[in-house]
């Protein structure tokens, strides 16, 4: 959006800074996601849960590649970035909708 509005005299730098901020947020959410997979996995079936996790990751990457290609064709780089941001918000929302039980990360101490 800022690149299209010609706010910066160096749009390449603006894109790199924006993608760096976005990449940091993605890395934090991704690491939280990986932690939650292991936190919710029972010790007896952790291998199954982690295997399912990696299968879901592979499917998600395929879906993401196809979706980002469609968004790029439809609306260019801004559409790709907005689509990615929407997926991050969806992921974060779903994480906070997970059930909390005793022994889960935020189930302790009632917080």
């Amino acid at each position: 959006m800022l690149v299209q509005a010609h706010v910066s005299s160096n749009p390449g730098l603006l894109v790199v800074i924006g993608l760096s901020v976005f990449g940091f947020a993605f890395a934090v959410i991704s690491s939280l996601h990986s932690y939650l997979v292991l936190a919710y996995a029972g010790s007896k079936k952790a291998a199954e849960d982690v295997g399912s996790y990696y299968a879901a990751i592979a499917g998600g990457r395929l879906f993401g590649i196809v979706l980002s290609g469609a968004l790029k064709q439809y609306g260019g780089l801004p559409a790709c970035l907005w689509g990615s941001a929407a997926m991050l918000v969806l992921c974060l929302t779903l994480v906070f909708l997970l059930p909390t039980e005793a022994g889960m990360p935020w189930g302790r101490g009632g917080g």
Side-chain angles (χ1 to χ4, degrees), residues 51-68 87:
S52 298
Y53 166 72
Y54 283 112
I57 290 294
R61 286 185 178 155
L62 175 63
F63 175 74
I65 288 169
V66 171
L67 181 62
S68 67
M87 290 296 153

Side-chain angles (χ1 to χ4, degrees), residues 1 11 16 23 32 34 47 57 64 68 73 81 85 90 98 107-108:
M1 196 168 5
V16 168
L32 174 64
S34 297
I57 290 294
S68 67
Q73 289 295 318
L81 294 175
L90 177 65
L98 290 172
R108 295 184 196 140

Side-chain angles (χ1 to χ4, degrees), residues 8-43:
S8 173
S9 62
N10 189 349
L13 180 62
L14 191 61
V15 169
V16 168
I17 291 171
L19 288 175
S20 296
V21 170
F22 184 82
F24 178 78
F26 183 84
V28 169
I29 290 173
S30 179
S31 64
L32 174 64
H33 184 248
S34 297
Y35 169 76
L36 287 173
V37 167
L38 293 176
Y40 274 82
S43 61

